[in-house]
Amino acid sequence: GSMAPGGRVVGLVARRMQAARSAAKQATKAFVFGEGATSSQGLAAALSPSSFNLSDAVLRAAALAGLGCSALFGLSEVASADEAEHGLHSPEYPWPHNGIFSSYDHASIRRGHQVYQQVCAACHSVSLLHYRDLVGVAYTEEEVKEMAADVDVTDGPDDTGEMFERPAKLSDPLPIPYANEEAARFANGGAYPPDLSLITKARHDGQNYVFSLLMGYRDPPAGVSVREGLYYNPYFPGGAIAMPKMLADEGVEYDDGTEATESQMAKDVVTFLAWAAEPEHDDRKLMGVKWVFVLSLLFLQAVYYKRLKFAPLKSRRVVVDAIN
């Protein structure tokens, strides 16, 4: 026919594999239930008093048990391989801002920024955030100006063509720990700490994944070895991550006096990163509520106008004078 040589080869291999599977299936059925019998017929014959043989029954029961165990072990191996390749699936956590009418916990955003600043900022950047973005969300304008003034940024050139250092302003982005990717890899043994601006959008099941990753460090199970410089975390694809466990109880002193447990810090920094990836979240939901309210009024008006216009047509009486 018109099939290419590669297509014929693939088709031939597929038919051979199908034939091999069918032969294996028939051989298994013949051994377990008897030659040429269906499952129900073979089972009834094996259990009938006239043909009952204890040794045959034991062999057939063992064969059935072996087939079941093989199937279970096969499924478990597939699941284990998937977890090892893609990481353990993250649990579902009840984030308070996930509801239709729910907004961010801005106190948690402020605490999360503190965790980022004191723990994460040594390696990770949030290059899409500027100091002005924090105003009215987690800090007052005066607090952000004071925070920015403590950081020196490179600006210029000046009138002489030279670059110079100056205190940061509200329009400046938050500082980054490394000048480029090469410097980041050199400082971290070849691993590249990703930018966290959109991390909860860039990872599958973002918020749950980041929280599970931060809380998921543990000793590797028996039979699993992790090379030096890596740490075992089942939620990370491959199970071995270059970032060590960074959160510990009382690792940060919160401004509002909240107890800085490991889980509290993880929850707060994930809330901060969720806001960083979606700063329009609260405004979008508020605008959605307003639009739903306006469209509801328009819908009621349309229903009233439709009834007003169609009422005379639907209630009129038509008389047919067939004689005249």
Side-chain angles (χ1 to χ4, degrees):
S2 59
M3 184 181 294
R8 290 196 294 270
V9 172
V10 171
L12 178 61
V13 171
R15 288 194 295 273
R16 291 289 176 84
M17 292 179 65
Q18 182 65 32
R21 284 195 295 265
S22 299
K25 185 176 180 181
Q26 291 298 329
T28 303
K29 183 187 295 186
F31 174 74
V32 177
F33 298 113
E35 185 69 33
T38 63
S39 301
S40 57
Q41 292 171 345
L43 185 61
L47 295 178
S48 62
S50 60
S51 61
F52 184 76
N53 187 304
L54 183 59
S55 60
D56 289 345
V58 170
L59 286 175
R60 292 174 182 178
L64 286 174
L67 289 174
C69 291
S70 299
L72 288 177
F73 282 127
L75 291 175
S76 64
E77 287 177 3
V78 170
S80 299
D82 184 70
E83 287 181 5
E85 181 180 358
H86 302 291
L88 193 65
H89 186 70
S90 307
E92 193 74 27
Y93 295 103
W95 298 100
H97 52 266
N98 277 353
I100 299 177
F101 301 106
S102 302
S103 63
Y104 284 125
D105 180 356
H106 288 253
S108 183
I109 294 177
R110 179 178 179 126
R111 294 193 300 268
H113 176 256
Q114 289 181 252
V115 175
Y116 166 77
Q117 210 172 23
Q118 299 180 36
V119 179
C120 311
C123 297
H124 295 275
S125 60
V126 280
S127 58
L128 298 183
L129 281 185
H130 295 69
Y131 283 105
R132 62 173 178 263
D133 296 326
L134 299 172
V135 176
V137 176
Y139 302 93
T140 64
E141 184 174 345
E142 291 72 21
E143 288 176 321
V144 178
K145 285 182 177 179
E146 183 179 351
M147 183 191 308
D150 294 335
V151 179
D152 291 331
V153 298
T154 302
D155 203 351
D158 58 13
D159 295 339
T160 64
E162 299 293 331
M163 305 300 287
F164 61 92
E165 298 286 327
R166 63 163 177 82
K169 301 182 293 187
L170 292 180
S171 57
D172 290 316
L174 270 63
I176 58 177
Y178 304 106
N180 49 58
E181 181 178 340
E182 288 71 19
R185 290 189 181 277
F186 179 77
N188 291 276
Y192 179 56
D195 183 88
L196 300 181
S197 302
L198 301 174
I199 194 67
T200 59
K201 292 291 187 182
R203 298 294 184 268
H204 173 68
D205 202 15
Q207 298 176 73
N208 294 321
Y209 167 75
V210 176
F211 183 86
S212 299
L213 186 72
L214 293 174
M215 299 293 295
Y217 288 90
R218 60 199 67 180
D219 294 331
V224 176
S225 60
V226 178
R227 70 176 176 84
E228 186 178 358
L230 298 180
Y231 305 88
Y232 180 72
N233 192 317
Y235 296 101
F236 187 76
I241 185 172
M243 182 179 73
K245 180 180 175 65
M246 299 301 298
L247 299 182
D249 292 344
E250 306 301 327
V252 172
E253 186 176 351
Y254 284 137
D255 293 341
D256 59 3
T258 301
E259 184 180 0
T261 62
E262 181 182 349
S263 58
Q264 181 68 51
M265 289 187 290
K267 179 253 186 186
D268 290 336
V269 76
V270 171
T271 301
F272 167 73
L273 294 176
W275 166 80
E278 214 173 359
E280 80 289 349
H281 173 276
D282 290 354
D283 292 335
R284 188 185 69 244
K285 286 187 176 179
L286 181 60
M287 185 60 67
V289 171
K290 292 179 179 179
W291 271 105
V292 169
F293 176 72
V294 171
L295 291 176
S296 300
L297 295 180
L298 292 177
F299 175 75
L300 294 176
Q301 184 179 4
V303 171
Y304 175 79
Y305 186 77
K306 176 259 182 187
R307 290 177 62 86
L308 178 68
K309 289 298 182 181
F310 278 85
L313 297 176
K314 289 185 176 181
S315 61
R316 66 183 176 176
R317 181 180 180 186
V318 179
V319 178
V320 179
D321 190 353
I323 298 177
N324 297 324

